[in-house]
Amino acid sequence: MSSLPRRVKSEAKPLISEDDELSSFLNSSSESEEEEEEWEPKSKIAKKPRLPKKHEPKPKKAAVPKSTVARNKVKKMAIKEELVRLYIFFFFPLSLQDVSLPIAPPEVSGGGAQLSKLKEEDVGTNLKTLNKKSEAPKTQLKSFQGKNLNNLESDEKPSTSVPVVEKQVKHEQLEEDFTFDEPPSKKIKSAACPEGKPVKHAGGNRVKEEFEMNWDIVQALSERTSAEPWVCANLIRLFQEENTIPFIARYRKELINNLEADALREIQQTLEELRTVAKKTHGVMQKLKKEGKLSGGLSTALLNCRTLEELDHVSAPYKTGSKGTKAQRAKQLGLEPAALSLLQNPVELNLFSYIKPNIKGLSTIQEVEAGVQHILADMFAKDKDTLDFIRKLCQKRYICIQSALAKASSKNINEKDIDKFQLYHEFSCSIKSIQHHQILAINRGENLKILTVKVNIPDGVKNEFHWWCVNERWRPKQFAKPELMRILQNSVEDAYKRLIYPLLCREFRSKLTSDAEKESVMMFGRNLRQLLLTSPVRGRTLMGVDPGYKHGCKLAIISPTSQILHTDVVYLHSGQGFREAEKIKRHLLQYNCSTVVIGNGTACRETEAYFADLIMKKYFAPLDVVYCIVSEAGASIYSVSPEASKEMPDLDPNLRSA
């Protein structure tokens, strides 16, 4: 009977929790301490009756073993303390990490009362630390300010002081979470902006490109697309990292300020155009450098170009095979110093000294003045500040595009083609309010040589530009004689009429055409979207009818699962309508078809009237037949495409369209 309880106790041992193990471990250690503490008093009690002689200095001899025993106990307590800390560290990483278990130091001097007081104080401090867990991080941070790694290593050595153990445990908890058998916590990238709020890139708006220009690509892209510069900078970086537009629009909203996909495509297209200009500019510069034509001023003018039209304007005189501009021929005659002197130091300029009677272009004073005028006009037309001023001036004024019937068009072109553009024979509209389809129509008429088109810039722009150039931008730095001022004024007028005005017209026309082409593609997409999103007729067998006169009406019966059940041709508009009605009725009854779909092409209205008359007379009874008219745009083109041949290889193209 006595063995039974023992067996029960031995079987119940595995059910002890980890906390019980810790308590038992601590109790065993405390019991061993008590045994060591009780050993001395027992010996003392045993020796007390054996004290007949009082002259022996027992207290002095007892003082020496006490110190040695205390030292031994200090060492033992330190080792136990370290064992307890390691036990807590490895077996209770989560639950007891915050709880420090200080062990009271042994008594060096004094009785057991001092030991009990220390234990009570330690229990109180433990309760306080448990109640004030929320205040622990502040004390931990303060206690570890300014500590070196050497100090941390020294802290790990065994010590009898209670605060050091607390600091060690707390510091290890701060430094790293030792969570065994658990995955590491992930750092979410979007933690800084979980709600998709705008995030500006830390690197600023400066983006490094392969081909550097005198203008910033981020700023130019922002001006053209009306997007904010930081959005453009982020988009350029995202495109450089080969991110697609769907990915950017869905998962990088905070970097693009929640732009739509259409706006992203526009920005991407504009970015490609700017990069094309930069790439072509550097190609032209390399070519001119090999030919020895590249100078400092020409290099600056080329790097200032932002459009292909402007690049052609600057580089056209230097193309191979061209005779050269008037300014180039004047420079070859040696008149460039005279032109520069007119602007920098007109007091010392004497044009008569450049006259050489035997050389064409320098034989008279009029030819010398014309050469200087051509050089100045070329300088004005290629200056960045001058072109920027005239462009801003045009944005504030009313500029219209005009079209008229060409004079030679009636001789070579058919009258029907001329009548197509009757609306644009005498047409005028502002470039800010003209419709996109009007631009495309005017361009078609111009390509067919039916219309003549021009951009009308008011004289007020010319007058203001002339005054600004003479009095501000190109004003001579010193006093200039009236004849020299006359040359300067003629140069400004010549630059505007011969060089700047054609450049502005090309830029306006190019901008209007590109915008119109983009809008036409978007309009086609919107129309196709509406067509594709038309709700289908579910669960019905359909009869498709492609109307026609000579070749008959093509029929195709389609099952609810889009399987072709039957195809046929009926001639409804050639006097055989009644006989063909029997065939149609037989097909409808055979396949239980009650819906007729008629295409809106040739003979649509006649076919509609034919079916409406039969339905009104209830000819297809007992079927309740209905009909509808749908767009057949693209059906004829698709019927002869390779895709249709793969889908319906055994059918005639006419039946495929049905």
Side-chain angles (χ1 to χ4, degrees), residues 211-268:
F211 301 101
E212 292 293 334
M213 302 289 286
N214 285 348
W215 40 267
D216 183 20
I217 192 168
V218 175
Q219 195 64 30
L221 190 63
S222 176
E223 291 174 0
R224 286 202 183 185
T225 59
S226 300
E228 296 182 6
W230 65 272
V231 174
C232 296
N234 289 341
L235 275 173
I236 292 174
R237 293 187 184 96
L238 290 170
F239 288 140
Q240 286 175 347
E241 295 168 2
E242 299 182 356
N243 293 304
T244 60
I245 288 179
F247 175 81
I248 296 171
R250 295 180 66 185
Y251 303 114
R252 294 294 180 268
K253 290 185 177 182
E254 69 277 2
L255 295 178
I256 61 172
N257 203 12
N258 299 315
L259 287 179
E260 297 292 335
D262 294 337
L264 295 181
R265 291 189 191 95
E266 182 183 355
I267 293 174
Q268 187 181 34

Side-chain angles (χ1 to χ4, degrees), residues 132-186:
K132 297 182 179 179
K133 279 186 180 180
S134 60
E135 299 177 2
K138 297 180 182 178
T139 57
Q140 290 163 3
L141 290 173
K142 288 180 181 178
S143 62
F144 278 92
Q145 284 178 352
K147 279 204 171 188
N148 297 329
L149 290 173
N150 299 328
N151 296 336
L152 294 176
E153 291 175 0
S154 64
D155 287 345
E156 293 178 359
K157 296 178 182 179
S159 174
T160 57
S161 60
V162 177
V164 174
V165 178
E166 293 179 0
K167 288 178 182 178
Q168 284 179 355
V169 176
K170 290 177 182 176
H171 179 66
E172 287 172 359
Q173 180 189 3
L174 272 176
E175 191 152 339
E176 190 174 355
D177 283 341
F178 294 96
T179 55
F180 297 100
D181 300 330
E182 288 187 11
S185 58
K186 295 181 180 179

Side-chain angles (χ1 to χ4, degrees), residues 75 88 105 134 177 180 197 206 211 220 273 286 303 305 319 336 365 388-389 400 424 429 459 473 544 581 594 625 630:
K75 292 180 182 179
I88 294 171
S134 60
D177 283 341
F180 297 100
K197 295 179 180 178
R206 187 66 182 172
F211 301 101
E273 292 174 0
Q286 292 293 333
L303 291 175
C305 297
K319 292 180 180 178
E336 187 174 9
I365 187 65
D388 290 343
F389 177 80
C400 63
Y424 305 101
C429 184
D459 293 336
R473 181 69 180 91
S594 59
V625 178
V630 297

Side-chain angles (χ1 to χ4, degrees), residues 188-205:
I188 303 173
K189 289 184 178 180
S190 60
C193 47
E195 300 176 359
K197 295 179 180 178
V199 174
K200 298 183 180 181
H201 199 276
N205 294 339

Side-chain angles (χ1 to χ4, degrees), residues 398-429:
Y398 177 84
I399 299 173
C400 63
I401 183 170
Q402 298 175 344
S403 66
L405 184 66
K407 294 180 180 178
S409 61
S410 58
K411 298 179 181 178
N412 305 323
I413 301 172
N414 192 2
E415 289 292 333
K416 291 183 179 179
D417 294 334
I418 296 176
D419 292 339
K420 289 180 181 178
F421 300 96
Q422 187 176 2
L423 292 174
Y424 305 101
H425 289 177
E426 295 293 335
F427 178 80
S428 177
C429 184

Side-chain angles (χ1 to χ4, degrees), residues 548-579:
Y549 290 113
K550 183 177 179 181
H551 299 286
C553 298
K554 280 71 67 178
L555 306 180
I557 300 177
I558 307 297
S559 71
T561 57
S562 300
Q563 302 295 322
I564 301 174
L565 301 178
H566 183 71
T567 58
D568 204 345
V569 180
V570 293
Y571 298 89
L572 306 180
H573 311 300
S574 58
Q576 304 177 9
F578 182 76
R579 188 175 62 185

Side-chain angles (χ1 to χ4, degrees), residues 377-395:
D378 186 69
M379 290 173 58
F380 302 161
K382 293 179 180 178
D383 181 65
K384 180 179 179 296
D385 295 336
T386 305
L387 293 175
D388 290 343
F389 177 80
I390 190 69
R391 289 191 185 104
K392 291 179 181 178
L393 206 59
C394 290
Q395 291 177 358

